[in-house]
Amino acid sequence: MKNVNKASEFLVYYNQIKKEVSTMKQMFLLIIMIVVVGCSSEYNRGTYDLYLIPDDYEGVIQVIYNVKNSPQLQREGKYDVIPVDKSGMYRTSTSMYDYGSVIDQYYYVNHKGDRTKIDSLCVNVMGTGGYQNEQGEETHYTKIEVTRSVCGENFRSNGSRR
């Protein structure tokens, strides 16, 4: 009789452990799925801007957002297209809302519209800023700097201000 009680106690204990392990496996699989989906999502936070820069341009580029009577940014896939003018500026009525990792792309564009990818060592991301006018309207901007002549890790980190 004593062996039967021990056997039944063992079975109860074994079934309890089996349930806990099953629950732990399910939780582990759920966590793995959340991590995988979150990391692979194409909607991760970041800036997805595609800069189209005149072929002969070298210097600071400023994009000013939320400017009345200016064009909205166009889209190319998941990227906002920023066609920079020869003075290094672009104004858009689109409000600036992207933040996070910089996942931008930079291209020189010739007079025919052909694009040449700019090496990341030739781009310095200077940052963003903003201000508010007297009417309370907010304007934001992004600045980058591109070069053809001094590409390198130092330029990417510091730009032309050494």
Side-chain angles (χ1 to χ4, degrees), residues 49-63 81-90 105-111 113-119 122-124 144-148:
D49 295 328
L50 181 100
Y51 288 81
L52 301 178
I53 302 164
D55 202 23
D56 57 346
Y57 189 83
E58 188 171 20
V60 174
I61 293 170
Q62 184 172 14
V63 181
V81 178
I82 300 173
V84 178
D85 67 21
K86 289 189 179 293
S87 70
M89 295 287 294
Y90 186 73
Q105 294 184 1
Y106 311 92
Y107 290 90
Y108 282 119
V109 181
N110 67 18
H111 66 281
D114 299 325
R115 297 178 186 180
T116 305
K117 190 167 181 67
I118 301 174
D119 188 300
C122 301
V123 179
N124 170 250
I144 66 167
E145 184 177 14
V146 295
T147 186
R148 287 181 177 271

Side-chain angles (χ1 to χ4, degrees), residues 5-29:
N5 279 342
K6 284 190 177 190
S8 84
E9 283 179 23
F10 175 76
L11 285 174
V12 168
Y13 180 70
Y14 174 76
N15 285 332
Q16 214 173 11
I17 290 175
K18 192 174 168 183
K19 283 181 185 177
E20 288 177 18
V21 168
S22 177
T23 302
M24 288 173 59
K25 281 183 184 177
Q26 289 173 353
M27 289 178 63
F28 180 72
L29 287 174

Side-chain angles (χ1 to χ4, degrees), residues 87-98:
S87 70
M89 295 287 294
Y90 186 73
R91 291 172 178 82
T92 177
S93 58
T94 303
S95 61
M96 185 175 156
Y97 55 87
D98 294 334

